[in-house]
Amino acid sequence: MTNPPARETFRDWTPYLLFLLSSATIGPLLFGYHVAELNEPQEVITCSPQKATTTSPNFPQCIPMDTLQFGLVTSIFTLGGLVGALCGGPITTKYGRLKAMLVAAVFAAIGPFFEALATNIALFTTGRFIAGLGAGASTVIVPIYISEMAPPGQKGFFGSFTQVSINVGILITQFLGLFLSRGQLWRIILAVGGAIAMAQFVALMLAGQESPKWLAENGQAARAKRILRKMRGHEADIDQEVAGWGLGSEQDLDDEEETLLWGEDHMADSSSNGAAAAAGEPDVASRDHQSAGSLTPSKPRAKTSQLVKPLGFLAVLQNPDMRRAVLAVVMIMVAQQLCGINSIVMYGVSLLSGLLEANAALLNVLVAVLNVIVTTSAAPLVDKLGRKPCLLMSIAGMGINSLLLAIGIMNSIPVLSAIAVLLFVASFGLGLGPVPFLLSSELAAAEAVGATQSWALAANWIATFLVAQFFPLVNEMLGKGQVYFVFAALAAVSGALTVWLIPETKGKKDADEVWGRKGSGGREG
């Protein structure tokens, strides 16, 4: 499959499509926001002696915490995310992408206000956990939604915007932290996350739209076609995309809609004919329909009965073909976290403050800016070079720069440490950031996408929890910087597993083609 020319590419970007995708990607944006929101204000939140000022007995300026307690408050968000990820897949498969995103937005709006008004650790952790529920569900639902809404041939490009949105969220909170990490202003940083979630809820409620692919797979093919036509524009040829749903061409769906309308008329006529029969009048309409029976389209009706039956969370593991997809996406999602990116996102200021002093907070903002720029710039490469090459280049870059960062921190070389951090984050944005979110919808068959995505994100959240909870302790135990030797070793293992387990999905129309199966028959058993 060749990449479409630039003019054709931009023609597919209708304002309506861009609005729908922008509204959806606020969910991943909030994930990034909450992951990084405690990084810069850590000292003022935990009552560090360097940041302590006057306090109020009714509404304290800070909440006293040691390293272990702060690690708990930070990581509890990931446990909420784990629960949200496990629930998000089944909910979006059964009730649709739009309803699932609305539920996630509610949790994402409630949690931050508990955080912003917290007066003790218990209330703080409760808010972080609730916010995690919404973020975890969003990281399952939104990549599927984007993959189903994006124009054919551009799914990799648009799929990268899950990670772009996460990075924008990180950038927003790091930028706010530069100015609000003092007094009680840190509470504003936390409340802004809730305000963003409320804005998303309103946008989805007033103008959100269900995925046409989900509608087609759940017996609403005619409605799916209307939505797709609106998204692609009235001049676009959507026949190939509609055929990709396995429901025939656009004309077939027009016939189906006509059949359904005929069925409704037939029911109405049957009621009137019944009344006429009771009155002793001849059933003229019935005779007309019988004589015209050969003109009544029947094939589309058979198609609408062949709905996709989703596989459950455990059922995907019992199917040998689906199990391969689950193993692949779980591995790459774990690799995304265990290569160490969140050690910088969550703890970068405290990690580098000894070397860079006041410049550590500024470096973290620059890191966030670089992350957004690299991920956005590299988005076309995913479709041009392929998923697997981008992953391997990304992992190699992170591993090399982990070694340089360890050397820079251990030997107190600020310039080397700063350059290594920037290249480390840039390498992440090249492939390991965006690509894993694409793979669930590309490696798994339609009936297994929701459950596979839940497994993938559950593994991702567990790995995120491990990094969030134990990085400060391991870094302190091993000595400054040496933990990055561990991350470099994990990058080497991740690269080897990527070569072994991850197939290339670029240019493949479905999971059967990716895995070399022969149509739906390959998914039996």
Side-chain angles (χ1 to χ4, degrees):
M1 182 183 294
T2 59
N3 293 323
R7 183 177 300 176
E8 183 179 338
T9 295
F10 288 113
R11 186 188 65 192
D12 292 334
W13 296 9
T14 63
Y16 187 57
L17 172 65
L18 296 177
F19 169 79
L20 292 175
L21 295 182
S22 299
S23 301
T25 53
I26 293 175
L29 182 149
L30 288 170
F31 164 66
Y33 190 96
H34 291 302
V35 163
E37 67 186 352
L38 305 184
N39 188 355
E40 290 196 30
Q42 175 180 348
E43 290 188 342
V44 67
I45 292 174
T46 58
C47 303
S48 168
Q50 292 85 354
K51 297 286 184 178
T53 60
T54 59
T55 60
S56 166
N58 297 322
F59 207 64
Q61 173 217 300
C62 58
I63 302 173
M65 290 183 240
D66 58 26
T67 302
L68 186 60
Q69 291 170 325
F70 184 75
L72 173 64
V73 169
T74 300
S75 61
I76 198 70
F77 171 75
T78 65
L79 292 183
L82 171 61
V83 175
L86 291 174
C87 297
I91 290 173
T92 192
T93 299
K94 184 172 184 180
Y95 298 104
R97 316 319 185 202
L98 180 60
K99 290 180 181 178
M101 286 191 291
L102 284 167
V103 172
V106 170
F107 285 107
I110 294 173
F113 290 103
F114 278 90
E115 297 179 59
L117 300 175
T119 57
N120 53 57
I121 295 176
L123 197 57
F124 207 150
T125 53
T126 299
R128 291 276 292 170
F129 182 82
I130 295 173
L133 291 174
S138 290
T139 54
V140 171
I141 302 159
V142 174
I144 298 174
Y145 184 75
I146 292 176
S147 177
E148 294 175 348
M149 302 289 271
Q154 300 177 50
K155 294 184 184 297
F157 176 79
F158 279 100
S160 297
F161 278 78
T162 297
Q163 187 62 40
V164 171
S165 298
I166 291 173
N167 294 340
V168 169
I170 294 171
L171 175 59
I172 293 172
T173 192
Q174 300 282 35
F175 182 77
L176 291 176
L178 276 181
F179 304 100
L180 300 177
S181 297
R182 53 192 174 85
Q184 296 209 34
L185 295 181
W186 59 270
R187 297 180 184 275
I188 297 177
I189 301 175
L190 308 183
V192 166
I196 295 173
M198 291 177 64
Q200 182 194 26
F201 181 85
V202 171
L204 292 173
M205 180 62 74
L206 295 180
Q209 193 56 264
E210 185 53 78
S211 158
K213 188 172 187 291
W214 185 87
L215 290 172
E217 291 169 352
N218 286 271
Q220 302 180 57
R223 182 185 167 201
K225 186 203 72 175
R226 289 195 299 270
I227 295 171
L228 184 65
R229 168 66 65 198
K230 186 176 180 181
M231 287 196 318
R232 299 288 182 258
H234 294 291
E235 302 300 322
D237 180 5
I238 62 173
D239 270 356
Q240 184 177 0
E241 192 167 357
V242 168
W245 297 341
L247 297 172
S249 68
E250 182 181 5
Q251 182 60 47
D252 289 334
L253 296 183
D254 287 334
D255 293 342
E256 175 192 1
E257 187 170 10
E258 194 174 307
T259 303
L260 295 174
L261 290 173
W262 177 87
E264 291 174 1
D265 293 341
H266 178 66
M267 291 177 65
D269 289 341
S270 297
S271 299
S272 62
N273 292 338
E281 298 177 6
D283 187 352
V284 178
S286 177
R287 289 199 306 272
D288 289 343
H289 283 312
Q290 289 172 2
S291 63
S294 60
L295 301 177
T296 302
S298 58
K299 184 169 67 172
R301 182 175 299 183
K303 286 181 181 180
T304 57
S305 65
Q306 296 175 358
L307 306 183
V308 174
K309 184 178 180 181
L311 293 176
F313 191 67
L314 297 178
V316 291
L317 298 182
Q318 297 168 354
N319 185 306
D321 291 333
M322 306 307 173
R323 192 161 55 233
R324 293 173 67 191
V326 172
L327 178 61
V329 295
V330 164
M331 185 283 295
I332 202 62
M333 280 293 190
V334 170
Q336 186 190 62
Q337 296 304 319
L338 293 189
C339 283
I341 187 62
N342 276 328
S343 67
I344 301 297
V345 172
M346 293 180 173
Y347 299 108
V349 172
S350 59
L351 175 71
L352 300 171
S353 59
L355 280 176
L356 303 174
E357 299 178 355
N359 294 323
L362 182 59
L363 177 64
N364 268 262
V365 174
L366 294 176
V367 163
V369 171
L370 179 66
N371 213 351
V372 172
I373 293 172
V374 171
T375 309
T376 305
S377 302
L381 294 179
V382 176
D383 285 323
K384 187 171 293 186
L385 300 180
R387 283 55 161 160
K388 195 167 184 175
C390 287
L391 283 173
L392 292 173
M393 288 189 294
S394 177
I395 293 170
M398 294 186 74
I400 292 168
N401 286 288
S402 288
L403 294 174
L404 296 177
L405 182 55
I407 294 169
I409 295 175
M410 288 174 61
N411 295 283
S412 300
I413 309 173
V415 174
L416 177 60
S417 300
I419 292 174
V421 165
L422 293 173
L423 293 177
F424 180 82
V425 172
S427 298
F428 178 79
L430 179 63
L432 199 54
V435 173
F437 291 105
L438 302 175
L439 292 181
S440 291
S441 58
E442 295 183 338
L443 294 179
E447 64 268 30
V449 168
T452 302
Q453 188 80 319
S454 286
W455 275 109
L457 270 298
N460 186 275
W461 282 101
I462 291 172
T464 304
F465 171 79
L466 293 174
V467 174
Q469 179 66 44
F470 296 110
F471 173 79
L473 301 176
V474 174
N475 186 47
E476 190 174 305
M477 181 180 67
L478 293 180
K480 62 178 187 176
Q482 295 188 53
V483 67
Y484 285 95
F485 288 125
V486 177
F487 287 135
L490 290 171
V493 173
S494 299
L497 290 175
T498 298
V499 171
W500 180 36
L501 294 175
I502 304 294
E504 181 55 68
T505 62
K506 175 194 171 187
K508 307 296 176 62
K509 67 178 182 179
D510 56 25
D512 290 325
E513 186 176 350
V514 169
W515 295 106
R517 299 192 292 255
K518 295 182 179 180
S520 60
R523 296 200 300 266
E524 294 300 322

